[in-house]
Structures are given as C-alpha cells and as structure tokens.
Amino acid sequence: MAVDRTSDEDVSGVFREGHPDALALVYERFGALVYSIALRSLRARSDAEDVTQQVFVSAWRSRDSFDPERGTLGGWLVTITRNKVADALRQRQRDRRVLLQVAGGATVQAPEAPADQVVDRIVLADELAQLPESQRLVMVLAFYSDLTHEQIARVLGLPLGTVKSHIRRGLQRLRSRLEADGVAY
C-alpha cells in the first residue's frame, strides 16, 4: 500500500485488523507527527526517538482499544504520545532528584571496614575531588550510585558516548595519579 494514496480510514482499518504491514504504514503516515510532538516537549533528540518508538509499540500492542468512532488514528496516537512524554518527564524528575541527592553530598552507609580500606577510600575520594566536575559527577553516579551509562546520560542530558569517554578518561586519570602517588601497584 502506498502511503500517499491510502486514506486515513483505510490505514486505520488495516492497523486495527493487525495486518502485517500495518505498523509500518502507520509509522510512515504518523511517525513525523509523533516525533515532532515528542521533540518539542522533551527538547532532546534521543528522548524524542525513544518516546516515538514507545508510542508505536504501545499503539500496536493496544490496537484493539482503538475505536474509529471515537476519533481518528492520528488523534489516538497523539494522546498516546502525550502520555509517553509525560512518563518521560516524570522519569527525568526522578533522575534529577537522584542526581541532586548524589551531587548534594548524600552519603552511602558502608559497613565497618579495616583501617587500610578506610585509608584507600579517603585517598580515592581525594583523587576524585581533583577530577574536573563533569568527570567527577559521571564517576560518582557510575560507581557510587551504581547507575548504568544510559541512566547517567539521561540524568545529565549528555550523549552516551560522552558519558563513556568521561568514565574512561576519569579512570585513566585516577590510575595515573594513584600510580604517581605510589598507591596503585
């Protein structure tokens, strides 16, 4: 089916019936609309791409609930998009709270450690403090808050590659500084 020559009603019908090519057809017809709404709301391409994918997966899975008598397929997809954008914004708020908690000096309770481990932790904390703030924050989120690279990228609004580079360079810098101080073997 050619997208240009197929009516919205025909697209809605084959979509609701679960026709094998229907999802691709619906995406071709409404993908740009969904993406533009998500991008305007979230202002981040990667987040808008994620939301767009979530919208079409959700729409396909719940296509039985689409009722053409209650509205158009485009309107139904816009509603799903708004809900997914709201979910993404709530996730950002949760991520920011975690970031603020970590950046604000929230402490992690550690079990009693032998004296040499305490000294190692103090030396490591001092060396972490010497890192540039962007690297230090990424390192703290990765190793003290146990966040994945993807979660760190989302929380800080950085590209995934930048997060990985900060971690790699931060670890290299820590290693060279600790070796220079005679701490690392």
Side-chain angles (χ1 to χ4, degrees):
M1 275 184 218
V3 175
D4 297 338
R5 290 180 258 137
T6 308
S7 72
D8 283 350
E9 293 80 25
D10 291 340
V11 172
S12 298
V14 295
F15 178 76
R16 190 142 193 262
E17 292 169 8
H19 189 271
D21 297 328
L23 184 58
L25 187 61
V26 169
Y27 181 79
E28 287 177 41
R29 175 75 51 99
F30 299 105
L33 171 67
V34 168
Y35 177 77
S36 66
I37 293 169
L39 184 60
R40 261 187 274 131
S41 301
L42 300 170
R43 292 186 160 82
R45 295 181 112 191
S46 61
D47 290 344
E49 290 167 357
D50 288 345
V51 164
T52 300
Q53 180 180 0
Q54 291 170 17
V55 166
F56 285 98
V57 168
S58 178
W60 182 253
R61 287 182 178 158
S62 61
R63 67 186 176 277
D64 293 338
S65 68
F66 169 64
D67 183 1
E69 293 180 13
R70 294 181 63 199
T72 65
L73 181 57
W76 185 66
L77 290 169
V78 167
T79 301
I80 295 172
T81 303
R82 287 187 0 219
N83 290 335
K84 295 297 181 184
V85 164
D87 291 345
L89 291 171
R90 279 191 292 276
Q91 181 63 43
R92 274 187 186 172
Q93 286 179 327
R94 283 191 294 272
D95 293 345
R96 281 192 186 116
R97 274 183 262 152
V98 168
L99 175 62
L100 290 173
Q101 186 178 24
V102 170
T107 58
V108 177
Q109 285 289 6
E112 287 295 316
D116 58 337
Q117 287 181 355
V118 171
V119 170
D120 288 345
R121 288 181 185 167
I122 292 170
V123 169
L124 184 58
D126 184 54
E127 292 300 331
L128 273 172
Q130 303 303 315
L131 292 175
E133 185 170 342
S134 58
Q135 280 182 352
R136 179 176 60 247
L137 190 52
V138 169
M139 298 285 285
V140 167
L141 290 172
F143 297 105
Y144 290 102
S145 297
D146 201 28
L147 297 180
T148 66
H149 294 168
E150 291 81 10
Q151 290 170 326
I152 295 168
R154 192 172 53 242
V155 166
L156 297 178
L158 295 172
L160 181 59
T162 302
V163 169
K164 290 179 179 184
S165 295
H166 279 330
I167 290 173
R168 183 178 46 78
R169 283 192 297 267
L171 287 172
Q172 288 172 338
R173 185 168 174 178
L174 284 174
R175 181 178 181 184
S176 66
R177 288 183 59 88
L178 292 172
E179 284 176 345
D181 291 341
V183 176
Y185 302 102

